[in-house]
């Protein structure tokens, strides 16, 4: 698997100027290539190939007075900019045609020199890590890097990044071998929230630090100072840097805390299950600021790649699974509840539930059911690849009652209805004490 390692860099004044030239040239080549393909499309001409684009936007452009300054930076960075443009077009075409899963990807856009983040990407032909710890970048020089940890292997590519606060980072891509941890018998389901960041199925509650809320007063003051400065003045530029540094500090605190919590959860549990939350939709509601402050998507991504790295199982249940509506003891579904109800009593068995703890337990049960169904489907097919979630996952709507305990099991709905091509398929009822039973028609 490939991992990314980031290190802080401290270039001197001359190196900062060289990097600024590189950022600008890479941006211009990207924009020229994008403009050439757009013009060809509007004129009804064929799609401009990568080789033709490289010849026009780099080789021939260097010989013109308008673009002769492209020779001042490494040609590797310019070529890599066009490769990134090809990747952006491919992602757009695959998204439109349905080959790419996930949210729809838009077409590539022009880059601006006013973008808060600037970067260049290099392969191994354009950078070298010296024995003295210096990082040599072609036509930039030897850069001072703060090596917070050793690289596990030789890097395959380097991305030099300047963020909105003016900090410089060296980001290396390294191919590493997964190192499984000793097996643990524990499995956990996680319910993510705002008041409490995460509630585990074993009853553990992880409080939300609310990094943005803590710094909101200072951010408000810095934003007010920035708005009072004259546009284009040096004082406004200084105020913008102060505000950007404070935002970067908040983001760094949140990321560091996410790393610590996710590592602890993955180390202590053999399997981790979470709900597939629609973060982009929740971030457009009245709780948008709190949703962004929690950083659920970043946290779930960390759980996923760390589970793959350390030999753990990571599962994501369907977002329509009614984890907050079903009693985790008897399986009775009480229906939706408003957010202000944090404790409720089951109308069937009378059990009193904490809303988040009950949701975490149901998440663990649904994750186990999905995993068992996927492994069983893979075994029948003679493959080691788990079955698609459209067959083993949970879906919106009700399910069929278990023939033994008569509890509706929505996770086994499509399997029981014969979606896998076998009407007599058997599945796991998560709530029945007998375990695997057939479902009533």
């Amino acid at each position: 698997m490939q991992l990314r390692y980031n290190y802080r860099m401290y270039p001197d004044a001359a190196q900062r100027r060289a990097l600024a030239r590189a950022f600008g040239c890479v941006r211009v080549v990207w924009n020229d290539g994008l403009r050439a393909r757009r013009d060809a499309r509007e004129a009804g001409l064929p799609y401009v190939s990568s080789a033709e684009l490289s010849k026009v936007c780099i080789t021939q452009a260097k010989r013109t007075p308008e673009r002769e300054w492209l020779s001042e930076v490494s040609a590797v960075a310019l070529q890599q900019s066009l490769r990134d443009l090809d990747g952006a077009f491919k992602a757009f075409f695959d998204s439109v045609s349905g080959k790419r899963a996930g949210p729809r990807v838009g077409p590539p856009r022009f880059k601006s020199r006013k973008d808060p983040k600037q970067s260049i990407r290099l392969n191994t032909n354009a950078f070298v890590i010296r024995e003295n710890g210096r990082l040599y970048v072609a036509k930039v020089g030897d850069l001072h890097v703060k090596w917070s940890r050793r690289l596990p292997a030789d890097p395959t590519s380097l991305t030099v990044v300047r963020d909105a606060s003016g900090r410089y980072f060296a980001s290396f891509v390294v191919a590493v071998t997964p190192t499984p941890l000793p097996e643990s018998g524990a499995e956990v389901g996680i319910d993510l929230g705002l008041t409490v960041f995460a509630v585990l199925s074993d009853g553990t509650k992880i409080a939300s630090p609310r990094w943005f809320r803590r710094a909101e007063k200072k951010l408000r003051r810095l934003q007010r100072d920035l708005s009072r400065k004259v546009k284009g003045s040096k004082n406004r530029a200084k105020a913008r840097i102060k505000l950007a540094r404070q935002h970067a500090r908040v983001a760094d605190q949140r990321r560091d805390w996410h790393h610590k919590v996710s590592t602890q959860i993955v180390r202590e549990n053999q399997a981790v299950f979470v709900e597939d939350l629609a973060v982009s939709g929740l971030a457009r509601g009245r709780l948008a600021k709190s949703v962004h402050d929690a950083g659920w998507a970043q946290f779930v991504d960390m759980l996923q790649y760390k589970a793959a790295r350390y030999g753990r199982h990571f599962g994501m249940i369907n977002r329509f699974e009614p984890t907050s509506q079903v009693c985790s003891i008897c399986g009775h579904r009480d229906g939706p509840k408003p957010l202000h109800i944090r404790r409720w009593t089951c109308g069937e068995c009378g059990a009193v539930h904490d809303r988040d703890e009950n949701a975490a337990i149901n998440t663990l049960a649904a994750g186990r059911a999905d995993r068992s169904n996927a492994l069983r489907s893979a075994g029948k097919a003679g493959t080691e690849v788990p079955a698609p979630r459209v067959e083993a996952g949970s879906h919106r709507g009700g399910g069929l009652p278990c023939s033994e305990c008569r509890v509706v099991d929505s996770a086994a709905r499509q399997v029981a209805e014969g979606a896998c091509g076998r009407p007599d398929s058997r599945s796991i009822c998560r709530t029945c004490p007998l375990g695997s039973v057939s479902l009533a028609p």
Side-chain angles (χ1 to χ4, degrees):
M1 60 184 303
Q2 289 186 331
L3 297 179
R4 186 174 292 277
Y5 286 76
N6 296 329
Y7 300 90
R8 181 78 180 271
M9 294 195 312
Y10 297 91
D12 55 29
Q15 293 170 347
R16 287 196 297 270
R17 289 192 295 269
L19 288 174
R21 285 194 298 268
F23 295 146
C25 292
V26 166
R27 182 180 63 250
V28 167
V29 170
W30 169 287
N31 291 341
D32 289 346
L34 178 57
R35 186 178 296 106
R37 284 182 173 170
R38 284 192 176 184
D39 292 344
R41 180 179 181 275
E42 293 176 357
L45 300 176
Y47 183 78
V48 182
S49 65
S50 301
E52 183 66 23
L53 210 61
S54 176
K55 184 187 302 183
V56 173
C57 298
I58 298 179
T59 306
Q60 296 179 2
K62 289 181 179 179
R63 301 169 184 170
T64 63
E66 296 82 7
R67 294 287 190 267
E68 61 180 359
W69 33 264
L70 291 177
S71 303
E72 299 178 4
V73 303
S74 172
V76 175
L78 304 181
Q79 292 287 351
Q80 193 62 54
S81 179
L82 293 181
R83 293 193 187 98
D84 293 340
L85 180 63
D86 290 338
F89 270 106
K90 184 178 185 303
F92 169 63
F93 295 146
D94 290 347
S95 180
V96 172
S97 62
K99 296 181 180 179
R100 180 186 175 95
R104 183 166 180 174
V105 178
R109 297 182 294 180
F110 291 106
K111 294 184 178 181
S112 172
R113 64 183 181 87
K114 296 182 180 179
D115 289 342
K117 183 178 179 180
Q118 301 285 341
S119 64
I120 58 172
R121 200 146 68 92
L122 307 167
N123 58 25
T124 53
N125 296 328
F127 73 92
V128 175
I129 301 178
R130 306 284 194 190
E131 294 182 358
N132 59 1
R134 295 276 179 166
L135 174 63
Y136 171 77
V137 176
K139 295 195 175 182
V140 175
D142 291 339
L143 297 166
H144 172 63
V145 180
K146 183 67 175 179
W147 299 102
S148 55
R149 52 181 172 172
R150 296 177 60 89
L151 286 171
D154 293 335
T156 58
S157 70
L158 165 68
T159 304
V160 179
V161 182
R162 186 190 68 194
D163 64 5
S165 61
R167 301 180 301 177
Y168 291 84
F169 294 92
S171 180
F172 298 95
V173 175
V174 181
V176 298
T177 303
T179 54
L181 294 172
E183 289 199 11
S184 171
E187 296 183 355
V188 66
I190 304 176
D191 180 71
L192 300 175
L194 297 178
T195 305
V196 179
F197 176 77
V199 178
L200 309 187
S201 55
D202 59 4
T204 304
K205 294 187 177 182
I206 303 175
S208 179
R210 301 184 180 182
W211 301 110
F212 181 83
R213 296 291 186 179
R214 291 184 182 184
E216 193 170 15
K217 184 177 180 180
K218 185 174 183 179
L219 288 170
R220 188 183 299 113
R221 177 178 58 81
L222 293 175
Q223 183 66 55
R224 185 170 58 248
D225 293 342
L226 174 63
S227 63
R228 291 174 177 174
K229 299 297 187 292
V230 179
K231 289 186 178 181
S233 63
K234 292 185 177 180
N235 286 336
R236 185 179 178 86
K238 295 178 183 178
R240 187 196 64 79
I241 292 295
K242 289 182 180 180
L243 179 62
R245 286 178 178 173
Q246 184 59 30
H247 276 292
R249 176 180 174 84
V250 173
D252 291 345
Q253 290 174 332
R254 183 187 299 111
R255 188 184 306 108
D256 178 71
W257 185 77
H258 281 169
H259 272 297
K260 293 177 180 177
V261 175
S262 59
T263 300
Q264 180 181 359
I265 292 175
V266 170
R267 286 184 179 275
E268 295 176 354
N269 299 278
Q270 186 65 30
V272 181
F273 303 100
V274 297
E275 185 178 358
D276 182 18
L277 296 174
V279 179
S280 59
L282 295 172
R284 292 194 295 265
R286 60 186 180 88
L287 299 175
K289 187 181 293 186
S290 297
V291 171
H292 285 296
D293 193 12
W296 293 330
Q298 177 179 258
F299 178 73
V300 172
D301 288 343
M302 290 181 182
L303 287 176
Q304 187 170 8
Y305 89 79
K306 289 180 181 180
R309 182 181 184 185
Y310 297 120
R312 304 307 200 193
H313 175 77
F314 175 83
M316 188 175 293
I317 69 170
N318 194 282
R319 66 184 57 171
F320 299 118
E321 184 75 19
T323 55
S324 298
Q325 305 177 24
V326 177
C327 173
S328 58
I329 296 179
C330 69
H332 176 70
R333 184 168 179 174
D334 270 353
K337 304 168 185 63
L339 289 177
H340 70 272
I341 297 180
R342 309 314 302 173
R343 298 182 66 86
W344 57 280
T345 303
C346 177
E348 185 72 16
C349 65
V352 180
H353 294 289
D354 179 273
R355 181 192 183 106
D356 298 330
E357 291 183 11
N358 181 75
I361 296 173
N362 287 332
T363 299
L364 175 61
R368 285 173 171 173
D370 285 355
R371 186 183 184 187
S372 300
N373 289 340
L375 291 175
R376 181 178 304 153
S377 299
K380 290 180 179 179
T383 64
E384 298 181 357
V385 180
R389 289 191 60 84
V390 295
E391 178 175 315
S394 53
H395 303 271
R396 181 190 294 272
L400 296 177
C402 171
S403 59
E404 299 294 332
C405 63
R406 310 305 300 175
V407 173
V408 174
D409 189 353
S410 60
R413 174 172 176 265
Q414 285 203 353
V415 177
E417 291 178 345
C420 59
R422 296 182 297 275
D424 57 343
S425 297
R426 299 168 62 85
S427 184
I428 294 178
C429 174
R430 299 192 307 273
T431 57
C432 183
L434 300 180
S436 176
V437 296
S438 60
L439 299 182

